[in-house]
């Protein structure tokens, strides 16, 4: 890897970390398009994003553990099915045409916009003491955890994301967890899904190891900087920035998918 490439990875990691801390966007949402821009194939971008997510999610989970906020039992109950389905996601990603993989990523970005709105609504209900989860006819907790972890793991392997955007609202809806508990558990599960996804992609030869480590370390630094800036920004400004960025990423990813289709 040349000094120019290393510099590009450092800048990309910092940029992704700043956006993650500032807008609450998971690293994979930003890193996959960045890696494609740097000239890597969609499958390499997905695999390398998973590697960088290990670093950032592990750092956050260690901090939660030190503060006594990490429940290992909850993490394992969600994480075990996620580890299995992550391998399925890896196999599907490796088999899909690159254009379809990019299209699936663009659809996830669109879903992101909706799910963030759902998450905010659930957070307000949780803060006001309203019942967030379903009443007595709730889904069996074991089945709910398998479903939640399974979806998150599959998406981690398929698209190189952590899966928190899916896990947080599902934990609140299906298990009646609070927003804070859901986020803390989700971050711990992401460590497992990212490791499982990276392992699966490594067996396929898709991971750019040095690049992924640089991106992860850069993301750590960038997130620390942006989390200090976030409290100073009005909520409306953050919301506009978030939706604008996702819209740009959706258009860019769809354009890349069209380019891949035209090339084949």
């Amino acid at each position: 890897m040349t000094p120019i490439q290393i510099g590009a990875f450092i800048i990309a990691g910092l940029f992704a970390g700043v956006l993650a801390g500032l807008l609450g966007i998971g690293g994979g949402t930003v890193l996959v398009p960045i890696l494609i821009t740097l000239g890597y194939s969609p499958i390499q971008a997905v695999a390398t994003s998973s590697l960088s997510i290990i670093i950032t999610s592990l750092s956050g989970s260690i901090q939660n553990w030190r503060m006594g906020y990490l429940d290992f039992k909850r993490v394992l109950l969600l994480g075990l099915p996620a580890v299995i389905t992550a391998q399925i996601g890896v196999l599907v990603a490796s088999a899909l045409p690159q254009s379809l993989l990019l299209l699936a990523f663009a659809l996830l970005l669109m879903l992101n916009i909706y799910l963030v709105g759902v998450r905010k609504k659930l957070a307000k209900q949780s803060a006001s003491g309203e019942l967030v989860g379903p009443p007595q006819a709730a889904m069996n907790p074991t089945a709910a955890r398998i479903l939640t972890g399974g979806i998150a793991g599959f998406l981690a392997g398929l698209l190189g994301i952590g899966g928190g955007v899916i896990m947080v609202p599902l934990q609140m809806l299906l298990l009646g967890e609070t927003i804070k508990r859901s986020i803390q558990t989700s971050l711990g599960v992401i460590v497992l899904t990212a490791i499982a996804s990276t392992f699966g992609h490594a067996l396929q030869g898709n991971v750019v190891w040095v690049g992924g480590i640089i991106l992860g370390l850069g993301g750590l630094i960038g997130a620390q900087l942006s989390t200090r800036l976030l409290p100073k920004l009005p909520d409306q400004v953050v919301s506009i920035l978030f939706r604008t960025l996702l819209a740009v990423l959706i258009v860019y990813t769809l354009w890349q998918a069209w380019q891949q289709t035209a090339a084949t």
Side-chain angles (χ1 to χ4, degrees), residues 5 31 41 56 62 99 121 125 127 154 187 206 214 228 231:
Q5 288 176 314
L31 286 176
S41 68
T56 53
I62 289 173
S99 57
K121 180 180 178 181
Q125 291 178 352
F154 178 76
L187 191 58
N206 299 328
I214 294 173
R228 287 169 172 75

Side-chain angles (χ1 to χ4, degrees), residues 63-83:
Q63 183 63 24
N64 282 336
W65 171 69
R66 286 176 175 173
M67 297 172 67
Y69 295 144
L70 189 62
D71 188 320
F72 287 101
K73 182 179 178 181
R74 281 185 168 89
V75 169
L76 288 176
L77 289 173
L78 288 174
L80 290 178
V83 166

Side-chain angles (χ1 to χ4, degrees), residues 99 259-264:
S99 57
Q259 292 281 86
Q260 290 281 339
T261 303
T264 57

Side-chain angles (χ1 to χ4, degrees), residues 173-238:
L173 285 170
L174 301 181
L175 297 168
E177 301 281 15
T178 64
I179 179 69
K180 289 184 178 179
R181 174 68 75 179
S182 298
I183 291 172
Q184 290 155 359
T185 302
S186 174
L187 191 58
V189 176
I190 287 171
V191 176
L192 300 180
T193 60
I195 291 173
S197 176
T198 301
F199 175 78
H201 279 294
L203 294 178
Q204 303 285 334
N206 299 328
V207 181
V208 181
W209 291 98
V210 175
I213 293 171
I214 294 173
L215 287 172
L217 295 175
L220 277 179
I221 298 171
Q224 292 297 317
L225 296 174
S226 58
T227 49
R228 287 169 172 75
L229 175 62
L230 180 60
K232 302 176 183 179
L233 294 177
D235 289 345
Q236 187 175 5
V237 171
V238 175

